[in-house]
Amino acid sequence: METSILSLIPIILTIGLAIKTRNVLVSLFAGVFSGVLILSAGHPITAVKSMIGDYVMAQLLDSYNAGIIVLLVFIGGFVALIEKSGGAEAFARCVAHFVNTRCKTQIAAWIAGIAVFFSELGTPLIVGPIFTPIFEKMRISKEKLAWIIDTTASPVCVLIPFIGWGVYSMGLIKTELEALHITDITDWTAFIHAIPFQIYPILCLIMVPMVAFSRKEFGAMAKAELNAQKGIFSTIGNAEELEKKSMVLDNHTPLVVVLAPLLVLFVTLFGILAPQHFPIKQVPGGDFRIALITGYLFAAITMIVLMAFYKVKPLKEGISIYIKGLGKLFECILMLVLAWGLSSVGKALGTSEYIVQMAEGNIPAWSIPAIIFIIGALMSFSTGTSWGTFAIVMPIAIPMAVALGAPLYVTIAAVLSGGLFGDHCSPVSDTTILAATGSSCGLMEHMWTQLPYAMICASVSIVGFIAAGITDSVIVTVVCAVLLVIVYNLAGKLKGVSVKNLNIKDIEKLEAEEASQSV
């Protein structure tokens, strides 16, 4: 089929509906159907049959795609156990014992958030409620806690290849590499090489300890922190949000309940793949997925047994939680299948070729990563979804990078970083909402206090993607980290406020003074 402007209809319709309705599943469905309708010469019945048979069922029958779906199912079951066992909560509680200053408290919450890396939605509901009373005690604002747990949720998950985020992303990458007949690069290789170029999440993670140690705040966060030092905290009045907070277990689960299964997961993974010299040498993708599925299964069995042994959950209930968790990522799986279908429709219509023809000679190759990051950031902020943004943007970005000679790994990283931006700070993102909920902070208070910090990271990231597009060097990320420190300190000097690093004795003295004044 000759490429024409009609080939843009599915992607334009998908993006437009995603922004308008904020429902990525409906948008992807509409995009796939519109493309198949064009291919079917406008016959709706033929289009429906072709869509189901050639663009949905075909994806499910593909052995690679089936492996990805099965892996996501097993990950969902394990994540459900992690969230319900209270083991991650035990880790966060253990970390909390070592804090006696405002700075240490913030660092402890940061470490706890990173440690709960299996679920971006679990982090706010596990770490948030545990640290809320500690932050209040140490006179740190709830807005600051919301920012920290939001920044250690999705920005951590997007960097890890063996959880749902990485598996989902590699599924999208694999489809594009196969369509372009690229055989010397695998989806695993592409994802791993893209990690050092994921500038935005890396800068976000660096910013938390930087702010904690510098004690410089500005904008709405500065006001919230100064109020907190006076004992004035924001609260949420939404009963439904408070009810969500109660989802976190209030028990004393031993730390071994979460650490032992993780150990089993990694020992199983490396034990199965070690004969193939993993991780020194690359292993076939199928072997890696089988090893990972086996590891998640053994880890889940270990956790169920430990939960029963320590009387956290009866054996029957543990099995029930796991079985229910197997369907936890169903919506994400459906989104992935439709994304594969949209990619196939795009290939049939020649969408990528048409975009490349328009861009060739008009857009310099070095600018593509920065452009992709900005598009992804705007789209994800509008829709509140990172995975949906990945699904829509990845099939455009990879062919553009290959055809125009832009650095492939940098471009993939730009897709992931741009998609993450909205998930991190959009007011309609589930992670943003849960971060506010878990810290008992108002949603809009959280968004407005977090946004300036996110914008600093995003601005530096744009500069970084321009530089990486030119140099294709990971040194750019290091330079961006230095630039972040410079920009933040400059902003702190111009509009910032220095907040005292109160220790426990200072706070007890403040409490005594306040008590005497009230009397």
Side-chain angles (χ1 to χ4, degrees):
M1 180 176 180
E2 187 178 347
T3 60
S4 70
I5 196 169
L6 290 177
S7 66
L8 297 180
I9 289 178
I11 195 68
I12 291 174
L13 181 62
T14 302
I15 293 174
L17 282 177
I19 293 173
K20 180 68 176 177
T21 66
R22 292 171 182 163
N23 189 320
V24 176
L25 279 176
V26 171
S27 306
L28 284 169
F29 183 90
V32 175
F33 180 73
S34 67
V36 178
L37 193 62
I38 294 171
L39 292 170
S40 303
H43 295 93
I45 303 300
T46 304
V48 171
K49 289 172 59 179
S50 178
M51 177 179 174
I52 295 172
D54 301 329
Y55 295 97
V56 175
M57 292 298 297
Q59 307 304 329
L60 297 173
L61 294 174
D62 181 88
S63 60
Y64 174 86
N65 294 352
I68 292 290
I69 291 170
V70 172
L71 179 52
L72 284 172
V73 168
F74 277 86
I75 289 175
F78 184 72
V79 168
L81 288 173
I82 286 278
E83 293 176 351
K84 297 293 184 181
S85 69
E89 181 187 12
F91 180 87
R93 189 187 298 113
C94 179
V95 171
H97 285 309
F98 299 97
V99 301
N100 55 13
T101 68
R102 293 181 83 258
C103 180
K104 288 182 181 179
T105 303
Q106 294 173 66
I107 297 299
W110 177 67
I111 293 172
I114 292 175
V116 186
F117 60 85
F118 278 90
S119 170
E120 81 284 3
L121 301 182
T123 300
L125 292 174
I126 292 170
V127 179
I130 293 169
F131 276 86
T132 295
I134 301 172
F135 269 57
E136 287 185 2
K137 175 67 177 177
M138 299 306 298
R139 301 292 179 99
I140 309 172
S141 67
K142 293 178 181 179
E143 289 87 344
K144 175 63 74 65
L145 175 58
W147 170 60
I148 291 174
I149 61 178
D150 205 349
T151 304
T152 53
S154 303
V156 173
C157 292
V158 77
L159 296 169
I160 301 175
F162 53 84
I163 65 173
W165 284 68
V167 173
Y168 178 87
S169 301
M170 284 187 280
L172 297 172
I173 294 169
K174 174 77 171 181
T175 299
E176 300 312 314
L177 294 179
E178 285 185 343
L180 295 168
H181 307 293
I182 297 175
T183 57
D184 58 333
I185 301 173
T186 66
D187 53 325
W188 170 266
T189 303
F191 186 89
I192 294 299
H193 280 80
I195 290 175
F197 292 109
Q198 290 202 49
I199 302 172
Y200 179 76
I202 291 172
L203 293 184
C204 286
L205 291 171
I206 292 173
M207 198 169 197
V208 174
M210 185 183 74
V211 171
F213 285 116
S214 71
R215 305 195 304 277
K216 284 187 172 65
E217 311 285 356
F218 57 89
M221 187 71 82
K223 183 179 179 180
E225 286 289 87
L226 292 175
N227 283 337
Q229 292 218 335
K230 299 174 185 176
I232 303 171
F233 296 93
S234 66
T235 57
I236 57 175
N238 190 315
E240 183 180 349
E241 288 181 323
L242 289 171
E243 185 178 350
K244 287 181 183 178
K245 176 185 168 183
S246 67
M247 290 168 59
V248 181
L249 299 178
D250 183 17
N251 58 29
H252 299 285
T253 303
L255 194 56
V256 68
V257 169
V258 70
L259 293 184
L262 291 178
L263 181 62
V264 168
L265 170 61
F266 288 114
V267 168
T268 303
L269 176 64
F270 286 94
I272 292 175
L273 298 179
Q276 299 183 57
H277 306 288
F278 177 83
I280 298 173
K281 291 185 178 180
Q282 183 178 318
V283 300
D287 292 349
F288 179 78
R289 284 186 296 280
I290 291 171
L292 203 48
I293 290 170
T294 306
Y296 272 110
L297 176 61
F298 286 173
I301 293 171
T302 303
M303 180 167 284
I304 291 171
V305 171
L306 288 174
M307 286 166 62
F309 179 79
Y310 287 104
K311 299 181 179 179
V312 175
K313 295 284 184 185
L315 186 63
K316 185 177 180 180
E317 186 176 349
I319 295 173
S320 177
I321 290 170
Y322 181 67
I323 292 173
K324 289 179 181 177
L326 292 175
K328 182 181 178 69
L329 297 178
F330 176 77
E331 184 177 340
C332 299
I333 290 171
L334 189 55
M335 190 187 302
L336 185 57
V337 171
L338 288 173
W340 285 330
L342 182 64
S343 178
S344 297
V345 168
K347 300 298 180 298
L349 290 171
T351 304
S352 299
E353 290 86 344
Y354 185 76
I355 292 174
V356 168
Q357 288 173 12
M358 290 193 301
E360 202 164 15
N362 298 316
I363 300 176
W366 56 263
S367 68
I368 288 176
I371 292 172
I372 292 295
F373 172 76
I374 293 170
I375 291 172
L378 292 173
M379 183 176 173
S380 59
F381 188 84
S382 300
T383 61
T385 170
S386 50
W387 287 31
T389 302
F390 299 160
I392 295 169
V393 179
M394 195 74 78
I396 300 172
I398 292 179
M400 279 187 68
V402 172
L404 300 180
L408 178 60
Y409 302 139
V410 180
T411 304
I412 291 172
V415 175
L416 300 176
S417 291
L420 176 71
F421 176 82
D423 186 90
H424 183 214
C425 56
S426 170
V428 295
S429 163
D430 50 5
T431 314
T432 306
I433 293 168
L434 289 180
T437 301
S439 57
S440 298
C441 170
L443 174 60
M444 298 312 294
E445 285 84 352
H446 168 43
M447 191 202 78
W448 287 118
T449 50
Q450 173 170 266
L451 195 57
Y453 296 85
M455 289 303 297
I456 289 176
C457 291
S459 300
V460 175
S461 297
I462 292 173
V463 175
F465 280 119
I466 291 173
I470 296 171
T471 65
D472 194 14
S473 172
V474 295
I475 296 175
V476 168
T477 304
V478 178
V479 174
C480 284
V482 175
L483 182 59
L484 176 68
V485 175
I486 295 171
V487 171
Y488 183 78
N489 284 325
L490 181 61
K493 287 181 180 180
L494 294 176
K495 296 184 178 181
V497 175
S498 292
V499 180
K500 293 180 181 178
N501 183 29
L502 300 177
N503 58 39
I504 193 68
K505 291 182 179 179
D506 296 329
I507 292 167
E508 289 173 351
K509 184 179 178 181
L510 280 173
E511 290 174 345
E513 290 175 355
E514 290 167 357
S516 63
Q517 289 174 1
S518 63
V519 172

